[in-house]
PDB file of all heavy atoms in Angstrom:
ATOM      1  N   GLN A  23      -1.668   0.670 -10.465  1.00  0.00           N
ATOM      2  CA  GLN A  23      -0.605   1.433  -9.820  1.00  0.00           C
ATOM      3  C   GLN A  23      -1.018   2.852  -9.417  1.00  0.00           C
ATOM      4  O   GLN A  23      -0.766   3.255  -8.284  1.00  0.00           O
ATOM      5  CB  GLN A  23       0.647   1.461 -10.713  1.00  0.00           C
ATOM      6  CG  GLN A  23       1.917   1.741  -9.946  1.00  0.00           C
ATOM      7  CD  GLN A  23       2.184   0.703  -8.868  1.00  0.00           C
ATOM      8  OE1 GLN A  23       1.982  -0.489  -9.053  1.00  0.00           O
ATOM      9  NE2 GLN A  23       2.623   1.152  -7.719  1.00  0.00           N
ATOM     10  N   LEU A  44       2.383  -0.435   0.646  1.00  0.00           N
ATOM     11  CA  LEU A  44       1.354  -1.448   0.421  1.00  0.00           C
ATOM     12  C   LEU A  44       2.060  -2.712  -0.056  1.00  0.00           C
ATOM     13  O   LEU A  44       2.741  -2.695  -1.083  1.00  0.00           O
ATOM     14  CB  LEU A  44       0.359  -0.976  -0.645  1.00  0.00           C
ATOM     15  CG  LEU A  44      -0.657  -1.999  -1.130  1.00  0.00           C
ATOM     16  CD1 LEU A  44      -1.591  -2.402   0.005  1.00  0.00           C
ATOM     17  CD2 LEU A  44      -1.443  -1.442  -2.298  1.00  0.00           C
ATOM     18  N   PHE A  45       1.934  -3.763   0.719  1.00  0.00           N
ATOM     19  CA  PHE A  45       2.490  -5.061   0.340  1.00  0.00           C
ATOM     20  C   PHE A  45       1.341  -5.997   0.022  1.00  0.00           C
ATOM     21  O   PHE A  45       0.281  -5.941   0.639  1.00  0.00           O
ATOM     22  CB  PHE A  45       3.320  -5.651   1.487  1.00  0.00           C
ATOM     23  CG  PHE A  45       4.652  -5.001   1.656  1.00  0.00           C
ATOM     24  CD1 PHE A  45       4.798  -3.874   2.438  1.00  0.00           C
ATOM     25  CD2 PHE A  45       5.774  -5.516   1.022  1.00  0.00           C
ATOM     26  CE1 PHE A  45       6.034  -3.269   2.593  1.00  0.00           C
ATOM     27  CE2 PHE A  45       7.019  -4.919   1.174  1.00  0.00           C
ATOM     28  CZ  PHE A  45       7.141  -3.791   1.967  1.00  0.00           C
ATOM     29  N   LEU A  54       5.717 -11.479   0.874  1.00  0.00           N
ATOM     30  CA  LEU A  54       4.953 -10.284   0.540  1.00  0.00           C
ATOM     31  C   LEU A  54       5.771  -9.488  -0.469  1.00  0.00           C
ATOM     32  O   LEU A  54       7.000  -9.424  -0.372  1.00  0.00           O
ATOM     33  CB  LEU A  54       4.699  -9.431   1.779  1.00  0.00           C
ATOM     34  CG  LEU A  54       4.036 -10.128   2.961  1.00  0.00           C
ATOM     35  CD1 LEU A  54       3.915  -9.167   4.136  1.00  0.00           C
ATOM     36  CD2 LEU A  54       2.681 -10.663   2.578  1.00  0.00           C
ATOM     37  N   ILE A  55       5.101  -8.858  -1.437  1.00  0.00           N
ATOM     38  CA  ILE A  55       5.793  -8.059  -2.446  1.00  0.00           C
ATOM     39  C   ILE A  55       5.318  -6.613  -2.346  1.00  0.00           C
ATOM     40  O   ILE A  55       4.133  -6.365  -2.100  1.00  0.00           O
ATOM     41  CB  ILE A  55       5.584  -8.635  -3.861  1.00  0.00           C
ATOM     42  CG1 ILE A  55       6.524  -7.965  -4.851  1.00  0.00           C
ATOM     43  CG2 ILE A  55       4.134  -8.537  -4.297  1.00  0.00           C
ATOM     44  CD1 ILE A  55       6.682  -8.711  -6.156  1.00  0.00           C
ATOM     45  N   LEU A  56       6.230  -5.685  -2.526  1.00  0.00           N
ATOM     46  CA  LEU A  56       5.897  -4.267  -2.469  1.00  0.00           C
ATOM     47  C   LEU A  56       5.063  -3.896  -3.693  1.00  0.00           C
ATOM     48  O   LEU A  56       5.518  -4.013  -4.826  1.00  0.00           O
ATOM     49  CB  LEU A  56       7.169  -3.419  -2.423  1.00  0.00           C
ATOM     50  CG  LEU A  56       6.967  -1.912  -2.336  1.00  0.00           C
ATOM     51  CD1 LEU A  56       6.287  -1.534  -1.018  1.00  0.00           C
ATOM     52  CD2 LEU A  56       8.301  -1.198  -2.470  1.00  0.00           C
ATOM     53  N   ALA A  57       3.816  -3.484  -3.466  1.00  0.00           N
ATOM     54  CA  ALA A  57       2.916  -3.110  -4.555  1.00  0.00           C
ATOM     55  C   ALA A  57       2.962  -1.610  -4.824  1.00  0.00           C
ATOM     56  O   ALA A  57       2.761  -1.172  -5.953  1.00  0.00           O
ATOM     57  CB  ALA A  57       1.492  -3.539  -4.227  1.00  0.00           C
ATOM     58  N   ALA A  58       3.236  -0.818  -3.784  1.00  0.00           N
ATOM     59  CA  ALA A  58       3.325   0.633  -3.932  1.00  0.00           C
ATOM     60  C   ALA A  58       3.929   1.202  -2.660  1.00  0.00           C
ATOM     61  O   ALA A  58       3.864   0.581  -1.598  1.00  0.00           O
ATOM     62  CB  ALA A  58       1.948   1.244  -4.185  1.00  0.00           C
ATOM     63  N   SER A  59       4.517   2.387  -2.787  1.00  0.00           N
ATOM     64  CA  SER A  59       5.065   3.041  -1.606  1.00  0.00           C
ATOM     65  C   SER A  59       4.925   4.545  -1.746  1.00  0.00           C
ATOM     66  O   SER A  59       4.774   5.077  -2.844  1.00  0.00           O
ATOM     67  CB  SER A  59       6.536   2.664  -1.403  1.00  0.00           C
ATOM     68  OG  SER A  59       7.329   3.196  -2.441  1.00  0.00           O
ATOM     69  N   LEU A  64      11.341   4.953   1.498  1.00  0.00           N
ATOM     70  CA  LEU A  64      11.017   3.715   0.796  1.00  0.00           C
ATOM     71  C   LEU A  64      11.437   3.713  -0.666  1.00  0.00           C
ATOM     72  O   LEU A  64      11.235   2.729  -1.365  1.00  0.00           O
ATOM     73  CB  LEU A  64       9.520   3.436   0.920  1.00  0.00           C
ATOM     74  CG  LEU A  64       9.046   3.192   2.348  1.00  0.00           C
ATOM     75  CD1 LEU A  64       7.533   3.225   2.418  1.00  0.00           C
ATOM     76  CD2 LEU A  64       9.583   1.882   2.874  1.00  0.00           C
ATOM     77  N   GLN A  65      12.028   4.796  -1.153  1.00  0.00           N
ATOM     78  CA  GLN A  65      12.427   4.865  -2.554  1.00  0.00           C
ATOM     79  C   GLN A  65      13.530   3.867  -2.896  1.00  0.00           C
ATOM     80  O   GLN A  65      13.728   3.544  -4.061  1.00  0.00           O
ATOM     81  CB  GLN A  65      12.862   6.280  -2.922  1.00  0.00           C
ATOM     82  CG  GLN A  65      11.696   7.239  -3.003  1.00  0.00           C
ATOM     83  CD  GLN A  65      12.135   8.657  -3.306  1.00  0.00           C
ATOM     84  OE1 GLN A  65      13.309   9.000  -3.216  1.00  0.00           O
ATOM     85  NE2 GLN A  65      11.191   9.490  -3.671  1.00  0.00           N
ATOM     86  N   ALA A  66      14.227   3.360  -1.906  1.00  0.00           N
ATOM     87  CA  ALA A  66      15.280   2.376  -2.155  1.00  0.00           C
ATOM     88  C   ALA A  66      14.701   1.020  -2.549  1.00  0.00           C
ATOM     89  O   ALA A  66      15.406   0.179  -3.093  1.00  0.00           O
ATOM     90  CB  ALA A  66      16.151   2.219  -0.913  1.00  0.00           C
ATOM     91  N   PHE A  67      13.433   0.815  -2.299  1.00  0.00           N
ATOM     92  CA  PHE A  67      12.772  -0.441  -2.626  1.00  0.00           C
ATOM     93  C   PHE A  67      12.077  -0.309  -3.965  1.00  0.00           C
ATOM     94  O   PHE A  67      11.558   0.741  -4.307  1.00  0.00           O
ATOM     95  CB  PHE A  67      11.763  -0.812  -1.540  1.00  0.00           C
ATOM     96  CG  PHE A  67      12.407  -1.006  -0.197  1.00  0.00           C
ATOM     97  CD1 PHE A  67      12.413   0.007   0.739  1.00  0.00           C
ATOM     98  CD2 PHE A  67      13.023  -2.201   0.114  1.00  0.00           C
ATOM     99  CE1 PHE A  67      13.015  -0.159   1.973  1.00  0.00           C
ATOM    100  CE2 PHE A  67      13.628  -2.388   1.342  1.00  0.00           C
ATOM    101  CZ  PHE A  67      13.628  -1.358   2.269  1.00  0.00           C
ATOM    102  N   GLU A  68      12.035  -1.405  -4.717  1.00  0.00           N
ATOM    103  CA  GLU A  68      11.456  -1.371  -6.059  1.00  0.00           C
ATOM    104  C   GLU A  68      10.084  -2.042  -6.074  1.00  0.00           C
ATOM    105  O   GLU A  68       9.941  -3.206  -5.696  1.00  0.00           O
ATOM    106  CB  GLU A  68      12.393  -2.060  -7.051  1.00  0.00           C
ATOM    107  CG  GLU A  68      11.995  -1.848  -8.482  1.00  0.00           C
ATOM    108  CD  GLU A  68      13.025  -2.394  -9.453  1.00  0.00           C
ATOM    109  OE1 GLU A  68      14.152  -2.745  -9.040  1.00  0.00           O
ATOM    110  OE2 GLU A  68      12.683  -2.474 -10.638  1.00  0.00           O
ATOM    111  N   VAL A  69       9.107  -1.267  -6.524  1.00  0.00           N
ATOM    112  CA  VAL A  69       7.739  -1.767  -6.614  1.00  0.00           C
ATOM    113  C   VAL A  69       7.692  -2.955  -7.576  1.00  0.00           C
ATOM    114  O   VAL A  69       8.277  -2.925  -8.654  1.00  0.00           O
ATOM    115  CB  VAL A  69       6.786  -0.648  -7.087  1.00  0.00           C
ATOM    116  CG1 VAL A  69       5.414  -1.198  -7.429  1.00  0.00           C
ATOM    117  CG2 VAL A  69       6.680   0.440  -6.030  1.00  0.00           C
ATOM    118  N   GLY A  70       7.024  -3.994  -7.159  1.00  0.00           N
ATOM    119  CA  GLY A  70       6.884  -5.180  -7.987  1.00  0.00           C
ATOM    120  C   GLY A  70       8.080  -6.110  -7.952  1.00  0.00           C
ATOM    121  O   GLY A  70       8.058  -7.180  -8.549  1.00  0.00           O
ATOM    122  N   VAL A  71       9.140  -5.710  -7.238  1.00  0.00           N
ATOM    123  CA  VAL A  71      10.358  -6.516  -7.173  1.00  0.00           C
ATOM    124  C   VAL A  71      10.754  -6.811  -5.722  1.00  0.00           C
ATOM    125  O   VAL A  71      11.050  -7.951  -5.380  1.00  0.00           O
ATOM    126  CB  VAL A  71      11.533  -5.815  -7.901  1.00  0.00           C
ATOM    127  CG1 VAL A  71      12.820  -6.597  -7.744  1.00  0.00           C
ATOM    128  CG2 VAL A  71      11.201  -5.606  -9.374  1.00  0.00           C
ATOM    129  N   SER A  72      10.744  -5.792  -4.874  1.00  0.00           N
ATOM    130  CA  SER A  72      11.173  -5.949  -3.485  1.00  0.00           C
ATOM    131  C   SER A  72      10.171  -6.800  -2.715  1.00  0.00           C
ATOM    132  O   SER A  72       8.960  -6.579  -2.794  1.00  0.00           O
ATOM    133  CB  SER A  72      11.313  -4.583  -2.813  1.00  0.00           C
ATOM    134  OG  SER A  72      12.325  -3.835  -3.448  1.00  0.00           O
ATOM    135  N   THR A  73      10.688  -7.773  -1.991  1.00  0.00           N
ATOM    136  CA  THR A  73       9.836  -8.690  -1.236  1.00  0.00           C
ATOM    137  C   THR A  73      10.246  -8.737   0.226  1.00  0.00           C
ATOM    138  O   THR A  73      11.348  -8.330   0.595  1.00  0.00           O
ATOM    139  CB  THR A  73       9.894 -10.117  -1.818  1.00  0.00           C
ATOM    140  OG1 THR A  73      11.243 -10.586  -1.750  1.00  0.00           O
ATOM    141  CG2 THR A  73       9.379 -10.163  -3.236  1.00  0.00           C
TER     142      THR A  73
END
Side-chain angles (χ1 to χ4, degrees):
Q23 202 60 40
L44 172 65
F45 285 87
L54 306 177
I55 191 163
L56 181 64
S59 67
L64 296 168
Q65 288 177 346
F67 299 98
E68 191 173 348
V69 170
V71 176
S72 297
T73 60

